[in-house]
Amino acid sequence: AEKSQDMPSHLQLDLSEDDGQPLLARFTYVDEGTCIGCKNCAFVARNTFFMEDDHGRARVWNQGGDSLELVDEAIDSCPVNCIHFVSYEDLWSHV
Ligand code: SF4
């Protein structure tokens, strides 16, 4: 299905047809309280991050939207180190 920036990423994960579990082993998460809205990550990996309008912070909309290399590059580009890899459980507990 098409993914949307209007819906949280954990609600539109790609799941296995066999057991309903997520296909990815880890997920990308922005600590929006720490994000300073510099837009670097959304520029580097635009199929993963977008700038959320209300608070001007970055948010992940599409888990697995970019290659791991690009996501790593986005993480390296963040001046305040607020992008983290998290487990499936942590992804849910953060929302
Ligand atoms: Fe926020 Fe970091 Fe992305 Fe800049 S690179 S918008 S500080 S998450």
Side-chain angles (χ1 to χ4, degrees), residues 30 34-42 51 57-58 74 77-83:
V30 175
T34 304
C35 170
I36 58 171
C38 77
K39 305 182 182 172
N40 283 356
C41 59
M51 301 308 297
R57 312 284 171 80
S77 82
C78 180
V80 292
N81 292 319
C82 67
I83 307 171

Side-chain angles (χ1 to χ4, degrees), residues 15-90:
L15 302 176
S16 161
E17 287 180 10
D18 294 332
D19 59 10
Q21 293 299 305
L23 296 178
L24 294 172
R26 60 181 185 170
F27 303 88
T28 310
Y29 170 76
V30 175
D31 173 3
E32 294 183 26
T34 304
C35 170
I36 58 171
C38 77
K39 305 182 182 172
N40 283 356
C41 59
F43 180 75
V44 171
R46 63 184 66 245
N47 293 316
T48 298
F49 304 92
F50 79 110
M51 301 308 297
E52 186 272 321
D53 279 338
D54 290 343
H55 304 286
R57 312 284 171 80
R59 182 174 291 169
V60 174
W61 65 282
N62 186 3
Q63 299 287 346
D66 290 294
S67 67
L68 189 54
E69 287 74 16
L70 265 188
V71 174
D72 273 335
E73 203 179 306
I75 288 173
D76 287 343
S77 82
C78 180
V80 292
N81 292 319
C82 67
I83 307 171
H84 308 289
F85 286 121
V86 297
S87 69
Y88 183 55
E89 290 71 25
D90 284 347

